[in-house]
Amino acid sequence: EVQLVESGGGLVQPGGSLRLSCAASGFTFSSYEMNWVRQAPGKGLEWVSYISSSGTTIYYADSVKGRFTISRDNPKNSLYLQMNGLRAEDTAVYYCARETSPVVGAWGPFDIWGQGTMVTVSS
Amino acid sequence: DIQMTQSPSSLSASVGDRVTITCRASQSIIRYLNWYQQKPGKAPKVLIYSASTLQSGVPSRFSGSGSGTDFTLTITSLQPEDFATYYCQQSYSTPRTFGQGTKVEIK
């Protein structure tokens, strides 16, 4: 079964750090681009970060640039999001999502999502 | 950044109704437009990609159309399991912006 499972969420104080993990199974992880998407309570979806299949190309939303770091370990079929300098506005469910590309050289939809992990930033 | 604007933000409909949701991009995204469905407490699920291609396993009552800046998601004959929030997303450029969502509620 194709699956993504996030872990690492929790309660952290403002200014603190957390590392989220996403374990992939059921597909060739190293062949796919991956993303993190978050959703604040009662709000819409916000794209956070992208990493290419090899890990050489990375993008961030302006809201997290300089504070968050995306990485992957292909032999371990794992995706990570290191979050530093956390703020109250980072409180959200964080999803990892696999990206598929229906057209070579173009980005595509996020076709597989994890169940999400909740991050709460509060004192 | 490309802004995605959905309308309406919410709608009430009955089982069997035809529902149309629109999504407008702030600049041309050609046909790099995806639609997702999200139910409470669940992860989003892709319904349509490349503006009009139905994701495998998605019922044919869902369809998408449009190009450039204006796109539409149509649900013909709304079913009880279709009551959810729908999001559009552009995959033309980074950041991969989402629309604000359209909540489809039971009338």
Side-chain angles (χ1 to χ4, degrees):
Chain A
E1 180 190 5
V2 174
Q3 196 173 7
L4 296 171
V5 178
E6 300 96 336
S7 60
L11 174 64
V12 62
Q13 292 187 339
S17 299
L18 274 180
R19 188 195 196 205
L20 305 183
S21 298
C22 172
S25 59
F27 65 98
T28 305
F29 179 70
S30 59
S31 296
Y32 288 87
E33 301 155 308
M34 297 294 296
N35 293 267
W36 287 97
V37 177
R38 68 184 180 183
Q39 186 169 38
K43 303 298 184 182
L45 301 170
E46 180 188 14
W47 172 82
V48 172
S49 185
Y50 159 96
I51 187 167
S52 61
S53 56
S54 63
T56 55
T57 300
I58 286 172
Y59 299 110
Y60 298 100
D62 286 345
S63 58
V64 307
K65 200 174 294 182
R67 300 187 298 123
F68 289 12
T69 302
I70 191 172
S71 63
R72 65 191 297 162
D73 186 332
N74 285 342
K76 291 186 177 179
N77 294 326
S78 294
L79 175 72
Y80 305 102
L81 186 67
Q82 176 67 44
M83 304 186 295
N84 298 331
L86 283 161
R87 306 167 180 166
E89 55 265 36
D90 296 317
T91 295
V93 174
Y94 284 73
Y95 296 100
C96 60
R98 187 182 84 169
E99 181 163 348
T100 187
S101 301
V103 176
V104 174
W107 289 311
F110 300 169
D111 67 334
I112 303 295
W113 296 65
Q115 84 289 353
T117 188
M118 183 70 203
V119 171
T120 302
V121 184
S122 175
S123 55
Chain B
D1 296 0
I2 298 175
Q3 308 304 316
M4 306 300 293
T5 304
Q6 288 181 234
S7 60
S9 296
S10 65
L11 64 91
S12 295
S14 301
V15 173
D17 283 354
R18 179 186 181 94
V19 168
T20 299
I21 299 168
T22 63
C23 178
R24 175 164 288 177
S26 60
Q27 67 183 74
S28 177
I29 56 171
I30 310 178
R31 291 177 59 83
Y32 293 101
L33 191 283
N34 313 306
W35 288 100
Y36 299 87
Q37 176 194 66
Q38 187 180 33
K39 297 180 179 179
K42 300 295 186 181
K45 166 189 169 184
V46 63
L47 301 175
I48 303 276
Y49 63 91
S50 301
S52 61
T53 303
L54 199 65
Q55 176 72 353
S56 176
V58 173
S60 58
R61 62 180 179 273
F62 292 93
S63 64
S65 64
S67 64
T69 60
D70 295 315
F71 301 87
T72 299
L73 173 69
T74 300
I75 311 171
T76 57
S77 190
L78 196 68
Q79 297 301 299
E81 59 268 29
D82 301 336
F83 292 96
T85 300
Y86 294 84
Y87 295 92
C88 62
Q89 180 213 22
Q90 61 86 13
S91 51
Y92 178 77
S93 68
T94 294
R96 303 309 167 75
T97 38
F98 290 88
Q100 81 279 15
T102 296
K103 187 172 184 179
V104 177
E105 299 176 300
I106 302 172
K107 183 183 286 185

